[in-house]
Amino acid sequence: MARTFNVAVAGATGAVGTQMVACLEERRFPVKMLRPLASERSLGRTVKFQGQEVPVEVLNEDSFRGIDVALFSAGASVSLKYGPIAAQSGAIVVDNSSAFRMDPDIPLVVPEVNPDDIGLYTKRGIIANPNCSTIQMVVVLKPIHDAARIKRVVVSTYQAVSGTGQKAVEELAAQVRALLSGQDPVSKVYPHRIAFNVLPHIDVFLDNGYTKEEMKMVNETRKIMGDDSIRVTATTARVPVFYGHSEAVNLETEKKLSVDQVREMLANAPGVKVVDEPGSRQYPMPLDAAGQDLTLVGRIREDESIAHGINLWIVADNIRKGAATNAVQIAEVLAEKYL
Ligand code: A2P
């Protein structure tokens, strides 16, 4: 009989953790036992898995005894504290927070791009899941880089509120309801109203004037692609969309590529779906990307302002491929090749 594994999900009641549990079930990950973990606030709650109501346990230092794979999505401070404890207990950690992503001893993995880096988990027992905006961009960049070497990337994002967590989803809904019924909207999660607004501010501001989210896209892209020579600059914005991040991406390549060549290589790229029929108004949109695992790419055009430039519009479900699905895909490779 094929091997099965004990799997813990830290943050199992959150926006990403809920989808991690759903992805384990949908993708038929060989789970022997599921242990959903959250804070004391969730005591008494259950998580639905394979038709059963599994009780949520409070995360503590003993939570990882007997666990083979631990998926973390409970924030960076929880990962920093409990990730190493889980690894020491013998679990392999797949961590969705930013806590370990740039640690040179910890692999940062998108299975369609750098699956072989998963093997480096042996150094610390931890694998980092990249930032959601970075994941959907690199699955599209990888085949283009392999064919024509990308010299520079200029990306602007339009990111959904679910990336901030369940509270932000509720805040947008509550603000829309308040505004449409003539009441004052309350802003707690974001520094400004998000309903019918755009905030050019994701994560904290850094000394160089960029936000941390923008610098994640710069640094993580290079690490995942294994090429520090790629120049990347980013502007990240929060938009009043519930699920699905969109990105306008401008690329400069060393070799000239035609639009047809780009379209063909993306049509064959794993995890990517080309949606690019402007004549019949077919292009990627968050409403279409939400709830599934493919990264949609369209609006493929030559950048006519430079010799070797391409413009793309990339959309994916930030909670699925941008977080939960990517983490479960990493766990699948672990189960198949390393455990
Ligand atoms: P809880 O629901 O008990 O607060 P989101 O990203 O949607 O905000 O979800 C965050 C997830 O991380 C939730 O499952 C939350 O549990 C969990 N979490 C947050 N802080 C802690 C903590 N200190 N210990 C354990 N789980 C935590």
Side-chain angles (χ1 to χ4, degrees), residues 11-15 37-42 45 59 73-74 78 164-166:
T13 53
L37 302 165
S39 78
E40 278 150 12
R41 292 179 289 271
S42 296
R45 284 184 63 178
L59 174 63
S73 193
V78 171
T164 313
Q166 194 55 38

Side-chain angles (χ1 to χ4, degrees), residues 258-298:
S258 70
V259 166
D260 286 344
Q261 283 173 313
V262 174
R263 197 172 279 133
E264 194 186 330
M265 65 182 70
L266 293 179
N268 294 318
V272 174
K273 183 178 178 194
V274 176
V275 182
D276 196 20
E277 307 277 347
S280 54
R281 294 169 177 69
Q282 296 297 307
Y283 30 71
M285 294 185 292
L287 285 182
D288 294 329
Q292 49 90 37
D293 290 335
L294 293 170
T295 297
L296 312 181
V297 58

Side-chain angles (χ1 to χ4, degrees), residues 65-87:
R65 291 222 181 106
I67 294 294
D68 300 302
V69 178
L71 307 180
F72 271 69
S73 193
S77 55
V78 171
S79 294
L80 278 170
K81 179 166 177 198
Y82 289 101
I85 292 173

